[in-house]
Amino acid sequence: MSWGLNNRLNRVLPGLANGTGSVMFAIDHGYFMGPTSGLENPKDTIVPLLSYGDSLMLARGILQSCIPQDCSLPIVLRVSSGNSILNEDMSNEELCVSTEDAIRLNVSAVAFSIYVGAEYEHQTLVEFSKLINEAHRYGIPVLAVTAVGKQMNRDLRYLSLASRIAAELGADIIKTYYCEDFSRLVNVCHVPVVIAGGKKIPEADALQLAYNAVSDGASGVDMGRNIFQAESPVDMIQAVRSVVVEGVSPKEAYKKYKSALK
Ligand code: 5RP
């Protein structure tokens, strides 16, 4: 691994260096969900949260139009797209942002979705591999967002299949969902694994989810809706951070979150 790639990876996941988790903050939802609740006006709602994340995952347009140019947070740029929530099968994605543009945007990593077991599995895996060829030439780490086919459960069997495939193809970070026996998934991937938060759940449950994931070996979270759709996003990202980075118990973090709301 080149020094540049390693350096970028450690900026995206600073916890790797000191054995803690890291907080990646994901706001890329609009690339297939449109004006997602909580992200209607990212400039107002997201900018106050930036100082509490370790890195920010988003799509090109929002980066260019909503994120201040003096932002020092490492950027993880979504480079796959090609479908919307209106489609039955959402796997028809391709590489849509060049590595040249990613470099121009000064990103620290790029993110691409693979859809294992879905109609366009082959296309996404081949495009993903080609992205790795290109991004690694310039020392840019690649994060694999592992989606599984619609008919498959998000359980250990399918999520570890997708995650291990991504690792075998050369991913530098795997993003997947938490599942039962999650430590077994982490153990079959030789690169850092982070979890998505998924749909909004009660704040106490989201903190427990983050805690379970890190306890089971995740290198952190790449969380979106459970932060920006929380009753108080700025308090929630701090609560998530306390659990993931500082090892505070989810109960304690929730207590602090609740008292900050008053
Ligand atoms: C969409 C993504 C999102 O970034 C991801 O799902 C994280 O957000 P959330 O915590 O809201 O699930 O990769 O494909």
Side-chain angles (χ1 to χ4, degrees):
M1 200 184 271
S2 73
W3 190 92
L5 195 147
N6 233 331
N7 178 260
R8 289 188 180 94
L9 186 60
N10 278 285
R11 294 187 64 231
V12 170
L13 296 174
L16 291 178
N18 41 33
T20 70
S22 303
V23 177
M24 301 178 66
F25 182 32
I27 57 164
D28 60 323
H29 306 62
Y31 93 94
F32 73 105
M33 288 168 68
T36 314
S37 158
L39 291 180
E40 296 89 342
N41 186 350
K43 227 179 204 162
D44 291 346
T45 51
I46 299 307
V47 172
L49 311 189
L50 296 184
S51 47
Y52 303 106
D54 289 313
S55 49
L56 180 66
M57 176 168 160
L58 76 183
R60 178 167 57 185
I62 295 295
L63 175 62
Q64 288 173 328
S65 55
C66 302
I67 304 300
Q69 291 186 357
D70 61 357
C71 174
S72 57
L73 209 57
I75 300 297
V76 179
L77 185 70
R78 172 166 284 282
V79 294
S80 62
S81 62
N83 71 76
S84 80
I85 40 167
L86 299 180
N87 284 316
E88 262 289 292
D89 181 296
M90 294 203 302
S91 66
N92 194 0
E93 288 202 2
E94 291 182 39
L95 179 62
C96 289
V97 179
S98 67
T99 298
E100 191 186 348
D101 209 27
I103 293 168
R104 210 171 5 250
L105 290 165
N106 198 27
V107 308
S108 298
V110 289
F112 187 103
S113 290
I114 59 167
Y115 291 83
V116 171
E119 193 180 342
Y120 291 90
E121 173 188 272
H122 173 78
Q123 172 182 306
T124 59
L125 293 179
V126 172
E127 289 273 298
F128 177 66
S129 302
K130 289 181 180 169
L131 167 65
I132 292 175
N133 296 341
E134 187 69 3
H136 281 189
R137 186 177 308 154
Y138 300 99
I140 299 180
V142 179
L143 178 148
V145 180
T146 58
V148 294
K150 247 179 90 165
Q151 71 286 9
M152 286 153 199
N153 293 330
R154 282 181 181 166
D155 61 16
L156 180 69
R157 178 178 174 198
Y158 293 116
L159 293 176
S160 60
L161 172 72
S163 299
R164 177 59 183 256
I165 289 173
E168 294 268 350
L169 296 181
D172 302 291
I173 307 172
I174 311 287
K175 171 173 173 172
T176 189
Y177 289 93
Y178 185 73
C179 61
E180 208 172 311
D181 282 334
F182 187 73
S183 57
R184 289 177 61 194
L185 182 153
V186 174
N187 287 339
V188 296
C189 296
H190 51 276
V191 292
V193 178
V194 296
I195 61 144
K199 284 187 183 154
K200 173 78 176 69
I201 52 178
E203 280 87 340
D205 296 346
L207 293 169
Q208 186 67 51
L209 174 74
Y211 180 83
N212 292 347
V214 172
S215 306
D216 286 352
S219 298
V221 297
D222 188 8
M223 194 176 261
R225 287 164 287 184
N226 279 291
I227 293 174
F228 62 72
Q229 293 177 350
E231 189 179 350
S232 171
V234 75
D235 291 308
M236 186 59 181
I237 194 168
Q238 290 177 75
V240 171
R241 181 167 197 85
S242 69
V243 169
V244 169
V245 180
E246 293 151 30
V248 171
S249 76
K251 266 200 181 125
E252 201 51 46
Y254 182 65
K255 214 166 109 190
K256 197 163 168 211
Y257 172 78
K258 282 304 272 182
S259 60
L261 292 183
K262 286 173 193 155

